[in-house]
Amino acid sequence: MAKPAQGAKYRGSIHDFPGFDPNQDAEALYTAMKGFGSDKEAILDIITSRSNRQRQEVCQSYKSLYGKDLIDNLKYELTGKFERLIVGLMRPPAYCDAKEIKDAISGIGTDEKCLIEILASRTNEQMHQLVAAYKDAYERDLEADIIGDTSGHFQKMLVVLLQGTREEDDVVSEDLVQQDVQDLYEAGELKWGTDEAQFIYILGNRSKQHLRLVFDEYLKTTGKPIEASIRGELSGDFEKLMLAVVKCVRSTPEYFAERLFKAMKGLGTRDNTLIRIMVSRSELDMLDIREIFRTKYEKSLYSMIKNDTSGEYKKTLLKLCGGDDDAAGQFFPEAAQVAYRMWELSAVARVELKGTVRPANDFNPDADAKALRKAMKGIGTDEDTIIDIITHRSNAQRQQIRQTFKSHFGRDLMADLKSEISGDLARLILGLMMPPAHYDAKQLKKAMEGAGTDEKALIEILATRTNAEIQAINEAYKEDYHKSLEDAISSDTSGHFKRILISLATGNREEGGENLDQAREDAQVAAEILEIADTPSGDKTSLETRFMTILCTRSYPHLRRVFQEFIKMTNYDVEHTIKKEMSGDVRDTFVAIVQSVKNKPLFFADKLYKSMKGAGTDEKTLTRIMVSRSEIDLLNIRREFIEKYDKSLHQAIEGDTSGDFLKALLALCGGED
């Protein structure tokens, strides 16, 4: 196993056992497996308390003392997932990787995800050891076997990675960085088709330090993260492999934290992935993986394993995890640095927002009005025609259709649609037919009318709209309901929550850039109100007002800088701290603002996911987001959805809705990722 660099801090969860005696361990394991049944507790306790180097010595002692192969005996005595986990720990790391790859390419079908995970994440030294171990264990050439089982650009990139020849020099040439950025841009975005060979050469051979600078410069130059270009230009397993390489270049522990989360989320557990990562990273970077896991997913790796597995299998995984760090809002320095990098990325990102619904080419409002009239005339309704026309026209074009329908037939198109369609489909279609500001005004009105208030809808709309959108909503609300939005909010809410919503509803957020000195002052106010500053000052009421003013009126670029300065100042992430220190609707509103500042499409992707997960569907939220974001950033939301949840928005909608409502939602979704 590769040792940490001179002076580097050890980040594994498994250490050499002090007072180690291989003969004594061999005897204890023999006793644990002797007779009827086996003492699984003793087996897992010994094996998870020894480093891999020590386990190899135990294997040798066992062979010397009893003339038997320890791994064979363990296979005989243990079963299922527990056996796979224990046997994986007993193999030297390179041989463990070799076995995983052999299994991935043996038999019918190929486990591409396993190949991607191993070959995208290993160092040059680990790759050389893997190739040698494969040759030794199976008397076969690994490169030849991979070539025989894969094809195309996916195969070419795997072969490049397999060479283990990635540059390792930390001295980076600025000129070469610029050249690589230009070459990648010309190979993808600027080219009809894609020059995959350039992507393979640069991502497969350049040093990690060099590539990190390339990715940063690529974002500044093109306004797109390299990941967005890869998704746009590549496809299939090749795309997944290249994205994995990028993730590992940015942060290998973060890549594995994400893999572990996806292995355990939802129904069922991907035990092979879980075992492979817990075994392979336990003596490398498990502590880093744990910290990043908690930062990204707001729960500890330990607690997720505990809730998702059982028996001796669970006990062994928890030992490899090395401890529970589930203290909400509290951060290790490394985890705070991850949060800081996330804000750094959001600060420089100039990602182009794109909707899925665009103005129809060769638009003919007369033809559309006549087709809609025909679809609703007589007995029965042609829902397919209604869905096809309305979901494939921009909102401006829909307003033209309404006017033309009135001119031709003397009828109100909205009234006719209401009488012909019903339920979820009616809410969706009628929402699409309304001008956006009037639709948002109606959603706010419905959230506040009757018994009870839909606070989530109020927060979602008011925390995410731009100044121009808020001002248009105010005008629409006044026009439609003859009452100001501020008066309506005042009548239906109270306390700090009311003050925050009214502040947001004024649409007076600053629109300039960042001010570093002001950002530091604002970060200090945040630290004091969240009760983590070393030297609190000022009275609490004044601080609360200032904190609300900061979140509700500062520009997005300025707030990004505030949140970065907050991490520098406190070693905490502002979102997690708000969740820990605050409660109720105030907390939810502030969290929504922070998430919107960081990544608004991801905020909506999360809302969509939650509207469809579990028993039942929140059709109102699903409809509201699909209608309101379809011409703004639904394409970006789709990308964030598949990145975070490992399934496309299209698949989620397809699995959670039905009938004509499903057809209309899928048309708005705009395609399968």
Side-chain angles (χ1 to χ4, degrees):
M1 178 166 296
K3 297 286 183 188
Q6 189 83 25
K9 190 176 178 185
Y10 180 72
R11 302 300 295 162
S13 55
I14 300 295
H15 302 259
D16 280 341
F17 186 73
F20 171 62
D21 183 337
N23 287 338
Q24 188 176 317
D25 284 350
E27 289 169 11
L29 288 169
Y30 183 77
T31 302
M33 292 186 283
K34 198 165 76 171
F36 186 73
S38 54
D39 185 350
K40 297 180 179 67
E41 194 83 36
I43 293 170
L44 76 87
D45 187 57
I46 291 170
I47 291 173
T48 58
S49 300
R50 309 298 185 265
S51 66
N52 192 276
R53 179 187 63 78
Q54 290 175 331
R55 292 181 208 126
Q56 304 317 311
E57 291 187 45
V58 174
C59 279
Q60 291 168 0
S61 294
Y62 195 91
K63 187 84 167 181
S64 300
L65 289 170
Y66 305 108
K68 295 181 178 182
D69 185 84
L70 176 54
I71 290 180
D72 287 345
N73 280 12
L74 288 167
K75 283 182 182 176
Y76 181 79
E77 291 291 333
L78 310 177
T79 58
K81 295 174 285 193
F82 180 52
E83 177 215 322
R84 289 206 302 276
L85 180 54
I86 291 294
V87 169
L89 288 167
M90 291 307 302
R91 291 193 176 102
Y95 285 80
C96 193
D97 279 351
K99 175 72 164 62
E100 290 293 321
I101 286 185
K102 186 72 166 67
D103 290 346
I105 58 179
S106 295
I108 299 170
T110 304
D111 183 353
E112 289 87 1
K113 287 183 178 178
C114 173
L115 293 180
I116 290 169
E117 180 197 298
I118 293 175
L119 298 184
S121 66
R122 299 318 192 238
T123 65
N124 287 346
E125 183 184 353
Q126 289 167 337
M127 206 70 83
H128 299 153
Q129 291 170 352
L130 164 60
V131 170
Y134 193 92
K135 186 79 170 176
D136 181 50
Y138 306 111
E139 298 180 350
R140 298 179 64 86
D141 182 71
L142 178 53
E143 183 179 323
D145 281 0
I146 283 178
I147 288 172
D149 209 65
T150 58
S151 61
H153 298 299
F154 178 58
Q155 176 200 90
K156 290 174 187 173
M157 185 62 177
L158 289 177
V159 170
V160 167
L161 294 172
L162 202 57
Q163 306 312 304
T165 53
R166 184 177 296 286
E167 297 162 359
E168 294 181 330
D169 189 355
D170 283 343
V171 178
V172 177
S173 160
E174 289 184 18
D175 290 343
L176 187 56
V177 167
Q178 293 293 341
Q179 185 62 54
D180 282 349
V181 168
Q182 190 62 33
D183 288 347
L184 287 171
Y185 192 43
E186 290 176 357
E189 299 285 341
L190 295 181
K191 187 179 176 67
W192 181 260
T194 307
D195 182 358
E196 290 86 354
Q198 278 287 21
F199 279 84
I200 290 171
Y201 177 75
I202 293 170
L203 294 183
N205 290 285
R206 299 289 193 234
S207 73
K208 286 191 171 186
Q209 181 62 28
H210 175 90
L211 286 173
R212 289 184 194 113
L213 294 176
V214 168
F215 300 159
D216 290 345
E217 196 58 38
Y218 190 91
L219 180 60
K220 290 176 190 172
T221 302
T222 69
K224 277 188 173 185
I226 188 69
E227 292 90 337
S229 290
I230 288 172
R231 288 192 193 95
E233 298 297 326
L234 312 180
S235 61
D237 293 321
F238 181 47
E239 174 196 340
K240 291 172 187 170
L241 174 58
M242 299 305 260
L243 288 172
V245 170
V246 170
K247 286 175 184 175
C248 287
V249 166
R250 289 197 188 279
S251 170
T252 303
E254 187 171 352
Y255 170 71
F256 282 113
E258 183 182 305
R259 292 280 295 159
L260 285 168
F261 178 75
K262 289 178 178 176
M264 291 182 281
K265 77 179 177 74
L267 293 173
T269 303
R270 295 172 184 143
D271 293 292
N272 285 349
T273 301
L274 181 55
I275 290 168
R276 186 169 58 244
I277 296 173
M278 294 302 290
V279 168
S280 66
R281 311 313 292 186
S282 60
E283 293 183 51
L284 294 175
D285 51 8
M286 185 56 67
L287 296 184
D288 294 321
I289 292 169
R290 268 172 41 184
E291 291 162 6
I292 292 168
F293 192 98
R294 190 183 47 167
T295 304
K296 286 192 74 165
Y297 304 113
E298 300 168 41
K299 63 179 75 177
S300 70
L301 175 59
Y302 188 98
S303 65
M304 197 160 183
I305 290 171
K306 193 173 181 180
N307 293 330
D308 213 63
T309 58
S310 60
E312 282 84 10
Y313 176 53
K314 173 171 80 174
K315 290 176 185 175
T316 309
L317 288 171
L318 292 179
K319 288 259 197 171
L320 294 178
C321 189
D324 190 3
D325 40 38
D326 211 358
Q330 188 95 19
F331 283 83
F332 289 113
E334 291 86 346
Q337 287 164 19
V338 170
Y340 183 89
R341 285 199 301 273
M342 288 176 181
W343 285 113
E344 192 71 39
L345 278 173
S346 76
V348 295
R350 300 193 311 274
V351 179
E352 184 184 0
L353 298 178
K354 288 185 179 178
T356 52
V357 175
R358 300 174 182 85
N361 296 324
D362 303 321
F363 171 58
N364 186 333
D366 286 347
D368 285 347
K370 288 172 184 173
L372 287 169
R373 176 69 178 140
K374 184 179 177 184
M376 294 185 283
K377 199 173 174 182
I379 299 170
T381 306
D382 181 359
E383 285 89 354
D384 285 347
T385 295
I386 294 171
I387 291 167
D388 185 56
I389 291 173
I390 291 176
T391 60
H392 291 94
R393 306 295 182 268
S394 68
N395 193 275
Q397 290 175 333
R398 293 181 205 125
Q399 303 317 310
Q400 288 185 57
I401 294 170
R402 284 180 70 176
Q403 292 169 355
T404 304
F405 195 90
K406 188 89 167 180
S407 300
H408 279 345
F409 308 112
R411 303 171 67 91
D412 182 74
L413 176 55
M414 293 285 279
D416 280 8
L417 287 167
K418 274 184 190 176
S419 68
E420 292 292 329
I421 56 179
S422 60
D424 295 326
L425 178 64
R427 280 196 292 273
L428 182 65
I429 293 296
L430 292 170
L432 289 167
M433 290 303 303
M434 296 178 74
H438 289 266
Y439 179 71
D440 276 348
K442 183 176 182 181
Q443 296 305 303
L444 291 168
K445 179 76 163 59
K446 290 175 83 169
M448 293 184 282
E449 67 185 3
T453 304
D454 184 352
E455 291 86 1
K456 289 182 179 178
L458 295 179
I459 293 167
E460 177 201 303
I461 295 170
L462 294 175
T464 61
R465 299 315 192 244
T466 65
N467 285 344
E469 288 167 339
I470 291 284
Q471 285 152 16
I473 292 168
N474 274 293
E475 291 170 15
Y477 200 96
K478 186 83 171 175
E479 180 184 335
D480 294 344
Y481 307 112
H482 311 293
K483 182 179 184 179
S484 76
L485 177 57
E486 182 178 332
D487 288 346
I489 292 170
S490 293
S491 302
D492 206 67
T493 58
S494 61
H496 289 306
F497 183 51
K498 176 175 82 174
R499 290 173 60 208
I500 296 164
L501 291 184
I502 289 174
S503 180
L504 291 171
T506 60
N508 286 326
R509 187 177 291 286
E510 296 163 0
E511 295 187 341
E514 64 182 58
N515 178 320
L516 184 55
D517 291 337
Q518 183 65 60
R520 287 170 179 155
E521 286 181 32
D522 291 345
Q524 181 65 33
V525 170
E528 290 177 18
I529 194 65
L530 295 171
E531 299 182 344
I532 56 175
D534 293 330
T535 55
S537 61
D539 73 279
K540 190 159 185 177
T541 304
S542 170
L543 283 171
E544 285 171 347
T545 301
R546 288 176 67 193
F547 186 57
M548 184 192 78
T549 302
I550 290 163
L551 287 184
C552 296
T553 67
R554 301 286 196 254
S555 72
Y556 273 25
H558 180 82
L559 283 175
R560 289 188 186 106
R561 178 58 63 187
V562 171
F563 300 152
Q564 285 177 269
E565 292 303 315
F566 183 89
I567 292 171
K568 275 197 213 171
M569 191 178 291
T570 67
N571 210 33
Y572 289 68
D573 178 69
V574 70
E575 181 184 337
H576 289 248
T577 311
I578 289 170
K579 287 176 180 175
K580 178 174 181 274
E581 299 295 334
M582 295 184 164
S583 61
D585 297 324
V586 170
R587 175 199 61 199
D588 294 344
T589 311
F590 284 161
V591 167
I593 294 169
V594 173
Q595 291 176 338
S596 185
V597 170
K598 184 187 288 185
N599 186 335
K600 196 178 289 185
L602 179 57
F603 169 80
F604 284 112
D606 285 338
K607 295 279 287 181
L608 284 171
Y609 178 77
K610 287 171 185 171
S611 76
M612 292 183 280
K613 77 167 187 170
T617 304
D618 179 357
E619 288 89 356
K620 289 181 181 177
T621 299
L622 178 57
T623 300
R624 188 170 59 243
I625 295 174
M626 294 296 288
V627 169
S628 65
R629 311 313 294 183
S630 58
E631 290 184 60
I632 299 173
D633 55 3
L634 190 52
L635 191 60
N636 306 79
I637 292 167
R638 268 173 39 186
R639 288 171 181 162
E640 296 294 347
F641 194 98
I642 197 168
E643 176 69 21
K644 182 162 183 182
Y645 297 110
D646 209 22
K647 62 156 63 165
S648 69
L649 177 58
H650 188 285
Q651 289 171 321
I653 290 170
E654 207 166 33
D656 213 65
T657 57
S658 60
D660 293 320
F661 182 49
L662 167 64
K663 290 178 188 174
L665 287 172
L666 292 182
L668 285 182
C669 189
E672 171 73 277
D673 291 297

